């Protein structure tokens, strides 16, 4: 599977991640899934930036890290965790379906960490979604990686293709 998004969408993820630094940003990728091609792909049509709704109560009510120290988890903040409110997820899903689209993935940032999924990311991930992580170092987005779960519920790298979304993507910045 290949995640296809535009340069503008990638820059929007970077901008969101830098704007909320040092906290993690989060959002949904809405688009289409086409498994009928020789190279199946998920094509992003829209990004929906969301507020990170993480609170320490989330970890206690969802047991997201089996075997983890609950005392440590209570001290985690939005700098190390994100949470998408189920009401936001439902709202975006309804809006996407009205447009003939679906939620195809989730993006979030890792402030001052690599763009590699954590155990919490894995525990809360859903099959078939793309999970794009933006690494933000000292407030600047420096890397992006895309991941998907395999049949053993482990993250594996998923290819990402940047496609121009409009003629302006292909034009030089100066006239």
């Amino acid at each position: 599977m290949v995640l296809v998004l535009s340069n503008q969408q990638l820059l929007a993820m970077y901008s969101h991640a830098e704007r909320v630094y040092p906290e993690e940003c989060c959002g949904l990728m809405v688009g289409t899934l086409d498994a009928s091609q020789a190279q199946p792909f998920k094509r992003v049509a829209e990004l929906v930036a969301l507020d990170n709704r993480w609170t320490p109560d989330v970890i206690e009510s969802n047991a997201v890290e089996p075997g983890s120290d609950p005392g440590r988890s209570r001290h985690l903040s939005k700098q190390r965790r994100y949470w998408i409110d189920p009401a936001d997820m439902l709202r975006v899903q309804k809006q996407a379906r009205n447009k003939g689209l679906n939620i195809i993935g989730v993006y979030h940032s890792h402030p001052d960490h690599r763009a590699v999924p954590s155990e919490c990311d894995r525990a809360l991930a859903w099959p078939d979604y793309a999970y794009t992580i933006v690494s933000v170092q000292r407030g600047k987005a420096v890397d992006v990686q895309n991941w998907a779960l395999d049949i053993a519920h482990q993250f594996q790298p998923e290819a990402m293709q940047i496609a121009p979304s409009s003629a302006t993507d292909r034009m030089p910045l100066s006239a």
Side-chain angles (χ1 to χ4, degrees), residues 88-147:
D88 288 338
M89 181 74 94
L90 182 60
R91 176 182 50 81
V92 172
Q93 184 64 42
K94 286 180 179 176
Q95 292 170 344
R97 285 188 179 156
N98 288 339
K99 298 175 183 176
L101 303 170
N102 287 298
I103 296 173
I104 59 171
V106 174
Y107 74 90
H108 74 283
S109 61
H110 281 179
D112 298 319
H113 289 277
R114 297 179 328 151
V116 175
S118 67
E119 175 57 24
C120 183
D121 294 335
R122 189 198 64 77
L124 293 173
W126 293 356
D128 302 323
Y129 276 16
Y131 284 88
T132 304
I133 301 173
V134 177
S135 172
V136 182
Q137 304 291 326
R138 297 183 187 142
K140 180 75 177 160
V142 296
D143 189 23
V144 63
Q145 300 290 322
N146 188 52
W147 305 85

Side-chain angles (χ1 to χ4, degrees), residues 40-113:
F41 62 86
K42 300 169 191 162
R43 183 177 304 276
V44 178
E46 299 174 12
L47 293 179
V48 181
L50 299 171
D51 290 332
N52 180 352
R53 302 290 187 182
W54 173 266
T55 67
D57 297 341
V58 169
I59 196 135
E60 294 172 5
S61 63
N62 290 284
V64 295
E65 292 182 274
S68 67
D69 176 7
R72 177 183 166 272
S73 298
R74 278 192 288 274
H75 298 292
L76 293 175
S77 69
K78 290 180 179 180
Q79 294 177 336
R80 298 278 301 164
R81 294 286 185 261
Y82 77 94
W83 181 255
I84 295 175
D85 186 318
D88 288 338
M89 181 74 94
L90 182 60
R91 176 182 50 81
V92 172
Q93 184 64 42
K94 286 180 179 176
Q95 292 170 344
R97 285 188 179 156
N98 288 339
K99 298 175 183 176
L101 303 170
N102 287 298
I103 296 173
I104 59 171
V106 174
Y107 74 90
H108 74 283
S109 61
H110 281 179
D112 298 319
H113 289 277

